[in-house]
Amino acid sequence: MDRKTVNVGIESKKEVPAEALAAARHELGEHNGINMSIEASNTFTFKDSDAMNRAFLGEVGPKTGIYIYSRHLNPTILNLGRQIAAMEGTETAYCTASGMSAISSVFLQLCNTGGHVVAAKTLYGGTHALLTHFLPQKCNITTTFVDIVDLEEVDKAMIEGKTSVLYFESISNPTLIVANIPELSKIAHAKGVKVVVDNTFAPMILSPAKLGADVVVHSISKYISGEADIIAGAVCGPADIVDQMRDPHEGPLMLLGPTMNPKLAFEISGRIPHLSMRMKKHCKRAMKYVTKMKELDPNLDVLYPGLKEHPQHSLLKSMSNKDYGFGGVFCIDMKTEVLAYRLMDKLQNSTKFGFMGVSLGYYETLMSCSSSSTNSMLDNKEKESAGISPGLVRFSVGYVGTFEQKWSQFTKAYSEM
Ligand SMILES: *Cc1c(COP(=O)(O)O)cnc(C)c1O
């Protein structure tokens, strides 16, 4: 079989994300419906045996409207991929069944057995576990964890000829460390290392690929879906990486099969046009809360990149797209787990400020104590090293209700502490 893959991306390097999205208008439906059609077929037929042969030889493909099997390529998922590529300003993108499958597939695409990864030590718990346990045990791919803020440490950890990936989150979970994407990319590229950025915390706000990253991954389950109802992911990057991930003989997306359902791809595509508005709302509300919280109690340990005292406040400002903000997540360090849980209990059950729950990007506020939930797989030393205190409460700020209403719910709960 010919290994030729087809570039199915779009050019959208210069525009800001909202403009790029508008320019990358989705295809019309089959009967000129203003929404795209759902291609709910797992297999596709051909006009004759010659056409079938040519499809399998890779001579014809999606550009000429020829598809083979939906684990390989599905037009509805491809349409969603075009929207996500436009948002991230990458040549192409493809969507997967979860954020974790997007992340693990990228590692398996870019690293071979015996390979080496340099990764930030503050990462989503699942990614940290993948790099700490699964990849070394199953694939002999090892990781050196670094303080992503310390550029010299990052540089030293990358071994030329051995390290193939530098991996970090644009804004880290849950410690909200902002990565210097342009500088980190320069350092990595000088050693021939690919830069992979998890941009789950900052869709629309940051465009890592425009700042130098090679591949951008997303958990669509969070802000992009926005309703806490879907598990999905995306890989965005150049065609020679993303399309190769669907290679019939070697591609992890093809062979491990973390395929998105086209019905879900359709659902998600309808939420992308209002992602920009939602992100602005999340950011604005988060900024307002932390400002008021600092006024309410100047001793409260609030962590948010929008605060001037945050160590990467100006860095984030310099990298972010115009008119967004500093993200929709902030943390309060209550110092102990007991106080963290008491605060969350009051906020959920006494004043109805939000819900206890992991995940983020919902229209209601979600609260979790990271140390004993999303990051519980880290041991105490790893937690301390990653800056995750036992009393750290993460707030994924919702935007429903008026600010005044929500603020009175917060102050009431806080005064009862
Ligand atoms: C949730 C999350 C993931 C994993 O995504 P799933 O869709 O749950 O598989 C990866 N990275 C970050 C930063 C996340 O918040």
Side-chain angles (χ1 to χ4, degrees):
M1 189 185 284
D2 192 301
R3 300 291 180 75
K4 232 183 314 179
T5 41
V6 188
N7 171 8
V8 290
I10 50 126
E11 279 294 323
S12 60
K13 295 250 154 55
K14 291 188 191 67
E15 300 105 327
V16 294
E19 283 169 26
L21 270 175
R25 188 167 274 176
H26 63 77
E27 280 176 20
L28 289 181
E30 192 187 357
H31 307 286
N32 285 328
I34 52 169
N35 287 315
M36 68 182 186
S37 296
I38 306 176
E39 184 52 88
S41 300
N42 66 4
T43 193
F44 300 82
T45 188
F46 307 90
K47 86 175 187 301
D48 52 31
S49 57
D50 181 53
M52 186 168 183
N53 242 323
R54 293 181 60 206
F56 277 88
L57 288 169
E59 290 172 11
V60 289
K63 273 197 174 159
T64 42
I66 309 285
Y67 296 88
I68 298 172
Y69 187 60
S70 278
R71 176 157 44 75
H72 177 242
L73 202 51
N74 172 286
T76 312
I77 304 169
L78 190 53
N79 256 327
L80 176 63
R82 286 197 186 99
Q83 286 174 287
I84 305 246
M87 173 180 87
E88 285 299 344
T90 55
E91 189 182 5
T92 191
Y94 204 64
C95 297
T96 59
S98 65
M100 278 316 296
S101 63
I103 293 165
S104 54
S105 299
V106 169
F107 283 122
L108 292 173
Q109 178 67 23
L110 297 178
C111 305
N112 292 325
T113 178
H116 182 242
V117 172
V118 172
K121 63 185 170 195
T122 49
L123 287 179
Y124 176 69
T127 313
H128 194 274
L130 177 74
L131 292 168
T132 310
H133 304 294
F134 191 96
L135 287 177
Q137 282 163 21
K138 307 281 184 190
C139 312
N140 190 26
I141 296 165
T142 54
T143 296
T144 303
F145 290 99
V146 292
D147 175 1
I148 206 68
V149 172
D150 186 341
L151 299 179
E152 215 177 293
E153 186 185 342
V154 177
D155 189 24
K156 280 197 186 128
M158 286 185 289
I159 310 157
E160 210 163 348
K162 182 170 162 73
T163 308
S164 53
V165 172
L166 172 63
Y167 185 92
F168 54 88
E169 293 168 2
S170 52
I171 301 179
S172 79
N173 177 26
T175 49
L176 309 180
I177 293 169
V178 182
N180 189 335
I181 304 170
E183 284 305 314
L184 288 162
S185 301
K186 262 188 235 159
I187 298 171
H189 292 156
K191 291 193 170 170
V193 173
K194 293 266 191 282
V195 177
V196 181
V197 180
D198 181 338
N199 200 29
T200 301
F201 269 51
M204 311 297 292
I205 303 170
L206 286 169
S207 304
K210 293 185 193 171
L211 297 166
D214 299 285
V215 176
V216 181
V217 287
H218 272 288
S219 168
I220 289 179
S221 323
K222 313 295 166 55
Y223 287 111
I224 299 178
S225 91
E227 291 182 35
D229 58 341
I230 286 170
I231 300 285
V235 181
C236 321
D240 67 356
I241 295 175
V242 178
D243 292 355
Q244 283 299 330
M245 290 174 74
R246 291 190 307 265
D247 182 282
H249 296 152
E250 293 177 357
L253 293 181
M254 182 66 179
L255 298 176
L256 302 178
T259 313
M260 179 181 272
N261 182 333
K263 292 165 192 162
L264 216 54
F266 174 82
E267 277 243 356
I268 296 163
S269 86
R271 301 178 191 188
I272 296 202
H274 46 73
L275 178 62
S276 169
M277 287 189 291
R278 288 188 278 119
M279 289 316 295
K280 285 179 184 170
K281 285 255 183 206
H282 284 294
C283 292
K284 207 169 159 188
R285 195 52 74 98
M287 189 72 215
K288 226 166 157 176
Y289 279 134
V290 299
T291 309
K292 293 288 269 188
M293 280 172 192
K294 293 300 272 184
E295 285 170 20
L296 180 73
D297 180 357
N299 293 322
L300 193 63
D301 197 350
V302 186
L303 183 66
Y304 184 63
L307 291 171
K308 284 202 175 64
E309 61 265 31
H310 186 283
Q312 291 96 39
H313 172 74
S314 37
L315 171 67
L316 179 53
K317 214 170 169 177
S318 74
M319 292 192 300
S320 58
N321 291 313
K322 197 169 159 281
D323 297 334
Y324 287 89
F326 300 90
V329 176
F330 68 84
C331 296
I332 300 179
D333 192 347
M334 296 301 289
K335 308 298 175 196
T336 69
E337 195 175 309
V338 172
L339 286 177
Y341 279 117
R342 191 183 300 162
L343 178 64
M344 290 197 296
D345 268 325
K346 293 217 175 290
L347 287 170
Q348 173 176 291
N349 299 323
S350 153
T351 70
K352 304 193 166 33
F353 173 80
F355 293 108
M356 275 183 262
V358 294
S359 196
L360 54 131
Y362 189 43
Y363 50 78
E364 294 270 11
T365 296
L366 295 176
M367 308 168 288
S368 62
C369 180
S370 304
S371 172
S372 46
S373 61
T374 51
N375 295 80
S376 57
M377 59 284 271
L378 302 186
D379 62 33
N380 285 342
K381 219 177 113 212
E382 286 171 327
K383 279 179 198 165
E384 200 188 309
S385 153
I388 303 165
S389 125
L392 197 70
V393 184
R394 186 183 80 181
F395 291 79
S396 165
V397 174
Y399 50 75
V400 293
T402 64
F403 180 79
E404 289 66 30
Q405 174 192 20
K406 287 284 149 190
W407 180 242
S408 76
Q409 291 171 334
F410 182 86
T411 48
K412 185 163 182 296
Y414 194 69
S415 70
E416 288 170 9
M417 282 293 290

